[in-house]
Amino acid sequence: MPRPRYSPAERPGTRLVHRHSLWTRTTHWTWAVCLFFLLLSGLQIFNAHPVLYVGEQSGFDFDNAVFRIGAEESAGTYRGVTDIFGWRIDTTGLFGFSGSSLFPDFSALPDWAIMPSGQDLATGRIIHFFFAWIFVVTLLVWLIASLANGHLMRDLIPSAQDLKALPRDIADHIRLRFHSGARYNVLQKLSYAIVLLVLMPVMIATGLAMSPGANAAFPFMTDLFGGRQTARTVHFLAMLLLVGFFVVHMAMVLAAGPVKQIRSMLTGRIRVETGKGDEA
């Protein structure tokens, strides 16, 4: 007997619900584009001086480096070395030194990881600042819209009931059991709230703290982070956390059904099981 065919709206046991507003979808994809260019151009800027410090100043008279990528010579051969709080890791072929003895490359980061490829600090800064301002405006638009339509308090700030369900939700994710619903589960709420309300504002604030123009207008911003070099280090760490979030986010999308998840972020609607419209 042939299986009955149903239209998407008539599929038994499920229903289509509205999950993402136009504001959420628009800002989501705008951030995706901005973060791609910000990451690669930011690494181009970092590549010009691949050392992170704490404090206000840096240089030969200071011993305040906490992270460094470079190369060193031993017995006529070079190797790449990454130093993290004094813990030295051999990263030859990837960070610090790559290529061959005939065509050595002493760049801290490989060309494929930076934009533009090769050493081009001026272009990297132009790209970075251009998309940084789009990023800032997008966050402001999202915040105003989310406060106006209730998205922030309804979908991102966990309630006491949400927090009680946190252990169960963690256990379900470990077992790769995902409940498709109209609303975010507590892990999604916490992760999105941290990214949107903590990491992104920190990225913007530390970026302004490193800007000479912003320093002239708001001199207190550098002091908030204990110095320009500390702000640069915090900026780098926030970037790593955002990259980590992106990796986990994409893994969850793939595990939960990429077609359904991407379609919901394009159309705003998602198919959920009947009676399970209150959790994601």
Side-chain angles (χ1 to χ4, degrees):
M1 178 180 296
R3 295 179 59 185
R5 295 184 178 181
Y6 301 94
S7 68
E10 298 174 341
R11 193 174 302 166
T14 65
R15 62 190 178 98
L16 282 174
V17 297
H18 188 269
R19 190 182 197 188
H20 304 296
S21 69
L22 179 61
W23 290 110
T24 299
R25 286 176 279 145
T26 302
T27 53
H28 172 275
W29 293 113
T30 303
W31 281 324
V33 173
C34 286
L35 288 172
F36 172 79
F37 286 99
L38 284 171
L39 172 63
L40 298 185
S41 61
L43 291 177
Q44 165 71 246
I45 298 171
F46 171 78
N47 213 29
H49 186 65
V51 187
L52 297 176
Y53 307 88
V54 293
E56 176 62 34
Q57 302 181 41
S58 63
F60 295 108
D61 295 331
F62 298 89
D63 185 21
N64 56 347
V66 295
F67 180 82
R68 184 191 308 269
I69 299 177
E72 62 180 27
E73 181 185 9
S74 178
T77 61
Y78 289 93
R79 68 189 186 104
V81 178
T82 298
D83 189 307
I84 307 174
F85 291 105
W87 181 35
R88 298 166 62 82
I89 307 171
D90 190 321
T91 52
T92 304
L94 184 58
F95 302 134
F97 176 76
S98 58
S100 63
S101 58
L102 293 177
F103 303 99
D105 184 356
F106 294 96
S107 300
L109 301 174
D111 286 348
W112 56 263
I114 61 178
M115 178 183 292
S117 295
Q119 191 61 45
D120 191 349
L121 177 60
T123 304
R125 288 169 63 88
I126 291 172
I127 295 173
H128 198 74
F129 297 152
F130 175 78
F131 283 98
W133 284 114
I134 297 177
F135 181 85
V136 170
V137 172
T138 303
L139 185 61
L140 288 174
V141 169
W142 172 86
L143 182 60
I144 293 171
S146 297
L147 287 171
N149 62 22
H151 171 61
L152 180 62
M153 298 305 299
R154 181 182 64 249
D155 299 322
L156 295 182
I157 305 301
S159 64
Q161 184 177 0
D162 289 328
L163 295 176
K164 289 180 181 179
L166 182 59
R168 184 195 66 185
D169 200 43
I170 293 175
D172 286 343
H173 277 74
I174 292 175
R175 299 186 183 98
L176 299 181
R177 296 176 180 173
F178 304 105
H179 306 290
S180 180
R183 296 184 181 179
Y184 299 140
N185 58 54
V186 62
L187 275 181
Q188 287 176 310
K189 287 185 176 184
L190 287 172
S191 59
Y192 296 157
I194 290 172
V195 167
L196 293 166
L197 303 178
V198 179
L199 290 182
M200 286 187 176
V202 165
M203 289 288 289
I204 295 170
T206 51
L208 291 174
M210 291 185 287
S211 168
N215 291 163
F218 310 104
F220 64 89
M221 291 203 65
T222 302
D223 296 333
L224 287 177
F225 296 97
R228 182 176 284 102
Q229 295 302 324
T230 304
R232 183 170 180 257
T233 299
V234 173
H235 195 76
F236 189 86
L237 290 175
M239 176 273 293
L240 291 180
L241 291 174
L242 283 175
V243 171
F245 166 79
F246 170 77
V247 172
V248 175
H249 180 59
M250 293 308 299
M252 293 296 100
V253 168
L254 293 174
V259 174
K260 180 176 67 173
Q261 299 298 323
I262 294 176
R263 184 171 56 201
S264 73
M265 191 51 72
L266 290 172
T267 66
R269 299 184 301 169
I270 190 171
R271 181 167 297 282
V272 302
E273 299 176 21
T274 303
K276 294 186 178 181
D278 293 333
E279 60 178 13

